């Protein structure tokens, strides 16, 4: 589908332009054998950082985007001049991972291909807020309030996240598409990059043979819950998931080949993880702390160079004060939830209302299959962990032990399904990569057979997830913009629509004042005000004619909606 390719290539073009220079100049020498895989990942982080800094510096969005592209192109030219080419064979070594990552991208967009046009996949209600935030940042300062927009401000609970929404806004602008048309494709690209990151985890950290690292890439990319996160779509979480494997690889390289460039790239991915999904930050930090524990004082001295460090730390902190406060708030709140067993988790369900089965996180469909493969998978984990260098083994064991403890604790707590889902969604793919590396090691002749069966079962589990996933923004809802055009400017519309259906309806009609007698309440989503009085009334097709509608034919009939004029004299506040 050509429009999907256009958006995907636009995103990759932005990332490559912004990532080639930093990658060529900063990537440690021993990681450069797969340099092409690092370029778009580094570029995603660099673009997010540059656009955020310029945005908070009051530079208009389109000017920020032009400056970001120009700076990326200039830095790339300097880098290519200093280091004219990648290591011999780097492109060839990267070809198969890129090919498989492209297949993972295509699998994640099956619901979009099924829909036949650019829209939003899945049923996650955060999507309309993500799209609205990107639209808002295209036109307004991050802390501004703009009542005329579908989302009138950056949500308070998301004030650490403008970096990733600036990227969505940038891809939308460069591709000539609206953010709602770009979001699912951008998430497909981020999944493909995350899968490449886990290839690097298996290859560079776990020393898996190339074919086994490709298996790890594929299994993680089509893991049922990884796909679930992308297609429904959890925009913030997908960005945090993307940053995780690159942060893990660089955390290990901070110990074995510490370079200033490697530390800067590590800081970039840790910052991206913190801003995109602060609750995921403890995972790479735990691994880093375990790896560097014996030389923790030396590590601190490499970052802190006395008072002169304040010359750049203070201005940077001042410029990013708002998102940094958001990160601190999210981590502080999450820490309270974890450390206080008496704290109620009833308000931490998000859009979840129950548990996801643990086998789903390991690319399997049932507990029977997990029990069947459990012994060989645990053998693979143990076989790799015992062969790793002591510091790296300590880091991996710390992360896996933390995840196991968290899963048990939240399984035992009422309403613990939100944190249970988040912990496993981040750590289970790492366990998959470790198990694959173990099963591929010499001496396990049956390992390849187990991996072949696992891949087939993973395909089945992914197919089950995708079979239930459709688009949440169909053409019939997009058609509501025609209704807004039929209503004169300044005239209001009452939504006689079920509260759970109002998000996208209100988004498409945001050009006119809106109200409802049953607005969506008790959520962090923006909602329309309560009122009975309006100029027009919108109802679903098949609903009874509103008592407050004027007699005669409706103003407009769409496929799934009917627009009526409201009679004069209806009581209530006017909007």
């Amino acid at each position: 589908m050509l429009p999907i390719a256009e958006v995907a290539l636009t995103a990759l073009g932005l990332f490559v332009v912004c990532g080639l220079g930093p990658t060529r100049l900063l990537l440690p020498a021993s990681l450069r054998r797969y340099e092409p895989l690092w370029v778009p990942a580094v570029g995603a982080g660099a673009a997010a950082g540059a656009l955020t800094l310029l945005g908070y510096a009051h530079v208009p969005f389109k000017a920020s985007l032009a400056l970001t592209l120009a700076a990326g192109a200039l830095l790339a030219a300097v880098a290519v001049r200093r280091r004219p080419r990648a290591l011999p064979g780097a492109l060839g070594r990267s070809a198969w991972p890129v090919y498989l990552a492209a297949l993972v991208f295509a699998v994640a967009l099956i619901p979009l291909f099924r829909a036949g046009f650019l829209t939003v996949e899945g049923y996650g209600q955060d999507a309309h807020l993500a799209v609205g935030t990107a639209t808002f940042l295209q036109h307004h300062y991050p802390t501004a309030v703009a009542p005329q927009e579908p989302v009138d401000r950056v949500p308070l609970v998301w004030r650490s996240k403008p970096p990733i929404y600036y990227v969505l806004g940038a891809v939308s602008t460069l591709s000539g598409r609206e953010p709602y048309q770009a979001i699912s494709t951008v998430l497909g690209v981020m999944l493909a990059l995350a899968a490449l990151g886990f290839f690097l985890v298996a290859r560079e950290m776990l020393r898996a043979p190339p074919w086994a690292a490709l298996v790890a890439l594929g299994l993680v990319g089509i893991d049922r819950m990884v796909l679930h996160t992308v297609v429904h779509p959890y925009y913030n979480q997908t960005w945090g998931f993307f940053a995780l494997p690159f942060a893990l690889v660089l955390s290990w390289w901070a110990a074995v080949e510490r370079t200033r460039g490697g530390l800067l790239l590590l800081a970039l991915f840790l910052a991206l993880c913190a801003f995109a999904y602060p609750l995921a930050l403890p995972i790479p930090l735990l691994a880093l702390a375990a790896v560097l524990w014996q030389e923790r004082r030396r590590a601190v001295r490499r970052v802190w160079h006395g008072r002169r460090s304040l010359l750049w730390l203070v201005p940077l902190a001042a410029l990013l004060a708002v998102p940094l406060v958001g990160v601190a708030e999210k981590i502080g709140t999450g820490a309270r939830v974890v450390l206080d067993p008496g704290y109620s988790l009833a308000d931490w369900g998000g859009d979840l209302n129950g548990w996801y089965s643990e086998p789903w996180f390991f690319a399997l469909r049932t507990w029977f299959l997990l029990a069947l493969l459990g012994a060989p998978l645990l053998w693979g984990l143990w076989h790799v962990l015992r062969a790793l260098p002591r510091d790296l083994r300590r880091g991996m064991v710390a992360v896996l032990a933390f995840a196991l403890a968290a899963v048990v604790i939240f399984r035992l707590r009422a309403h613990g399904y939100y944190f249970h889902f988040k912990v496993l969604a981040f750590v289970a793919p790492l366990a998959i990569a470790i198990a694959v590396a173990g099963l591929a090691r010499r001496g396990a002749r049956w390992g390849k057979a187990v991996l072949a069966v696992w891949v087939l079962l993973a395909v089945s589990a992914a197919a089950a997830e995708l079979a239930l996933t459709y688009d949440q923004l169909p053409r019939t809802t997009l058609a509501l913009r025609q209704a807004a055009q039929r209503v004169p400017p300044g005239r209001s519309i009452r939504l006689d629509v079920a509260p759970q259906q109002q998000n996208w309806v209100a988004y498409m009609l945001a050009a006119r004042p809106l109200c409802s007698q049953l607005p969506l309440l008790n959520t962090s989503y923006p909602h329309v005000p309560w009122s009975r009085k309006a100029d027009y009334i919108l109802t679903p097709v098949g609903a009874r004619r509103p008592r407050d509608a004027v007699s005669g034919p409706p103003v407009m009939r769409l496929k799934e909606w009917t627009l009526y004029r409201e009679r004069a004299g209806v009581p209530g506040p006017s909007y």
Side-chain angles (χ1 to χ4, degrees):
M1 187 177 176
L2 184 59
I4 293 176
E6 290 174 350
V7 176
L9 291 175
T10 299
L12 288 173
L14 172 65
F15 297 164
V16 169
V17 169
C18 294
L20 179 58
T23 303
R24 185 64 59 89
L25 294 174
L26 301 177
L27 192 66
S30 54
L31 290 176
R32 292 188 66 211
R33 61 177 179 162
Y34 288 107
E35 182 184 293
L37 306 185
W38 287 89
V39 171
V42 172
L51 290 168
T52 302
L53 289 171
L54 292 169
Y56 277 98
H58 290 271
V59 179
F61 177 76
K62 289 187 177 180
S64 295
L65 182 54
L67 288 172
T68 298
L69 288 169
L74 180 61
L75 186 59
V78 171
V80 170
R81 184 178 180 85
R82 290 187 179 180
R83 291 184 176 180
R85 54 176 67 96
L87 291 182
L91 287 174
R93 280 189 292 271
S94 302
W96 272 108
V98 168
Y99 174 72
L100 284 186
L103 292 182
V104 167
F105 166 82
V107 168
L109 293 185
I110 284 176
L112 211 57
F113 290 117
R114 184 189 294 142
F117 67 106
L118 289 174
T119 185
V120 185
E121 296 178 331
Y123 54 72
Q125 289 293 300
D126 279 359
H128 93 285
L129 202 55
V131 167
T133 302
T135 302
F136 176 90
L137 290 173
Q138 286 177 317
H139 306 287
H140 306 284
Y141 188 71
T143 59
V145 177
Q148 72 274 20
E149 299 290 354
V151 174
D152 63 356
R153 70 196 74 192
V154 175
L156 183 63
V157 295
W158 283 7
R159 59 182 173 182
S160 72
K161 299 174 172 49
I164 61 177
Y165 293 107
Y166 271 121
V167 172
L168 177 56
V171 175
S172 166
T173 299
L174 292 172
S175 65
R177 308 287 180 175
E178 294 193 52
Y180 78 82
Q181 296 175 304
I183 184 172
S184 289
T185 303
V186 169
L187 284 176
V189 172
M190 303 317 297
L191 173 61
L193 296 181
L196 292 176
F198 280 96
F199 171 87
L200 293 171
V201 167
R203 191 77 181 102
E204 304 289 18
M205 290 179 64
L206 307 176
R207 298 301 179 187
W211 70 267
L214 290 172
V215 173
L217 182 162
L219 277 174
V220 170
I222 64 170
D223 174 83
R224 179 168 188 167
M225 292 311 296
V226 169
L227 282 175
H228 179 91
T229 301
V230 172
V231 301
H232 279 302
Y234 293 85
Y235 189 80
N236 310 337
Q237 186 173 333
T238 299
W239 270 82
F241 180 71
F242 147 72
L244 176 63
F246 295 97
L248 289 174
V249 173
L250 291 165
S251 295
W252 172 234
W253 248 252
V256 300
E257 187 189 333
R258 187 170 304 155
T259 64
R260 183 171 295 180
L263 291 175
L264 286 173
L265 290 178
L266 172 59
L268 173 67
F269 283 106
L270 288 177
L272 189 59
C273 189
F275 288 127
Y277 210 77
L279 294 179
L281 183 60
I283 297 172
L285 286 183
L286 182 60
L288 180 61
V291 167
L292 298 179
W293 179 252
Q294 291 185 336
E295 48 177 329
R296 53 194 179 278
R297 293 180 181 176
R298 183 183 172 193
V300 171
R301 286 198 299 268
R302 282 183 171 268
V303 177
W304 176 255
H305 298 285
R307 293 182 178 178
R308 61 179 178 172
S309 297
L310 296 175
L311 294 176
W312 65 272
L313 285 173
V314 171
L316 183 63
L319 199 58
L320 298 179
V322 173
L324 286 172
V325 167
V327 171
E329 285 180 344
K330 202 74 171 180
I331 292 177
T333 304
R336 179 186 175 189
V337 168
V338 173
L339 299 176
D340 182 2
Y343 188 89
S344 174
L345 301 180
D347 295 332
W348 279 84
D351 56 356
L352 304 184
N353 54 19
W355 305 90
Y356 288 115
S357 178
E358 281 83 353
W360 293 7
F361 294 90
F362 297 94
L364 299 169
R365 295 183 66 174
T366 66
W367 275 104
F368 172 77
L369 293 174
L370 183 58
L372 192 65
L373 292 183
L377 299 188
L378 288 173
W379 185 91
L381 280 168
W382 171 79
H383 197 58
V384 165
L385 291 175
R386 72 169 187 166
L388 292 177
R390 184 179 61 181
D391 292 342
L392 179 55
R393 179 170 63 246
R394 186 166 54 232
M396 295 296 97
V397 169
V399 170
L400 295 176
F402 160 78
L404 179 60
V407 167
V408 172
I409 289 170
F410 287 113
R411 262 294 187 181
L412 296 175
R413 292 180 63 178
H415 309 289
Y417 38 78
Y418 176 86
F419 287 97
H420 172 270
F421 165 48
K422 302 302 181 180
V423 170
L424 278 177
F426 281 98
V427 181
L430 175 60
I432 290 173
I434 297 173
V436 169
L439 291 170
R441 284 182 174 263
R442 294 178 182 178
R445 296 180 178 178
W446 45 269
K448 292 182 180 179
V450 172
L451 289 175
V453 171
W454 197 4
V455 168
L456 292 175
L457 294 174
V459 170
S460 174
E465 180 66 33
L466 294 171
L468 302 173
T469 306
Y470 293 85
D471 53 298
Q472 63 175 280
L473 186 56
R475 285 191 172 95
T476 52
T477 303
L478 292 172
L480 285 171
R481 290 185 171 181
Q482 299 176 33
Q485 293 170 359
R486 288 289 298 271
V487 173
R491 298 297 180 89
S492 57
I493 304 173
R494 191 180 86 193
L495 306 180
D496 282 11
V497 178
Q500 293 298 328
Q501 297 179 345
Q502 288 180 17
N503 286 330
W504 282 117
V505 172
Y507 189 99
M508 294 300 155
L509 295 173
R512 301 294 180 262
L514 304 173
C515 64
S516 174
Q517 295 185 93
L518 290 172
L520 178 64
L521 302 176
N522 301 317
T523 75
S524 59
Y525 301 136
H527 61 81
V528 301
W530 178 91
S531 181
R532 180 182 171 190
K533 183 178 181 61
D535 297 301
Y536 294 83
I537 304 172
L538 181 78
T539 69
V541 165
R544 294 180 61 182
R545 184 188 189 92
R547 290 191 304 170
D548 296 331
V550 299
S551 58
V555 175
M556 173 183 282
R557 291 187 188 275
L558 299 171
K559 267 193 173 182
E560 290 193 3
W561 310 99
T562 305
L563 184 68
Y564 298 93
R565 191 181 300 276
E566 186 174 274
R567 59 184 173 81
V570 173
S574 252
Y575 291 97

